[in-house]
Amino acid sequence: AAKAAKAAAAQERQREVRAAKDGLLERLEHLLLGAVGPALRPLVRHLLAPGTRLARQVRVEFPRLAAHLGMRESEELEVHLPAWTEDDVQHHVDAVRACRDELLS
């Protein structure tokens, strides 16, 4: 009986550790998506057509990231958005760099 109780307690501890690990990973994922999403979302919309290989690969390998960035399912190989001005490009490059610096600090 004592052996069974020890085994049950060990299984319960393993479940608790697994739940804590899953919770930590989910919180970390949420923090990272929140940090990179605003900087990357406009770039993804302007640079990655939904039907490109890279876009499809991101949707398959990182579905939550793809959803957060607004990557849609489509076979379209061209982006149909107005061209950015040089100032727009510089603004978005600065935003991505600031995001990178924040993540690395």
Side-chain angles (χ1 to χ4, degrees):
K3 200 173 196 182
K6 273 187 173 181
Q11 285 180 340
E12 182 60 30
R13 277 194 303 274
Q14 286 178 343
R15 275 193 291 270
E16 289 172 0
V17 167
R18 204 173 310 124
K21 181 181 172 186
D22 290 345
L24 180 62
L25 289 174
E26 189 172 324
R27 286 196 332 243
L28 179 59
E29 182 179 279
H30 180 71
L31 287 171
L32 287 172
L33 288 176
V36 301
L40 293 181
R41 193 173 296 118
L43 294 174
V44 168
R45 290 190 63 211
H46 263 78
L47 301 177
L48 275 182
T52 60
R53 185 186 66 76
L54 179 58
R56 287 192 312 266
Q57 187 173 353
V58 169
R59 285 194 306 269
V60 168
E61 293 183 22
F62 307 101
R64 291 180 101 177
L65 175 64
H68 189 78
L69 295 177
M71 298 177 78
R72 58 188 172 82
E73 295 277 340
S74 172
E75 293 304 314
E76 200 167 328
L77 294 174
E78 292 184 29
V79 176
H80 298 289
L81 295 172
W84 280 345
T85 65
E86 191 174 322
D87 290 339
D88 293 335
V89 172
Q90 189 59 52
H91 168 75
H92 292 294
V93 167
D94 292 344
V96 170
R97 285 185 177 146
C99 177
R100 176 204 60 199
D101 294 344
E102 183 178 328
L103 286 173
L104 294 177
S105 65

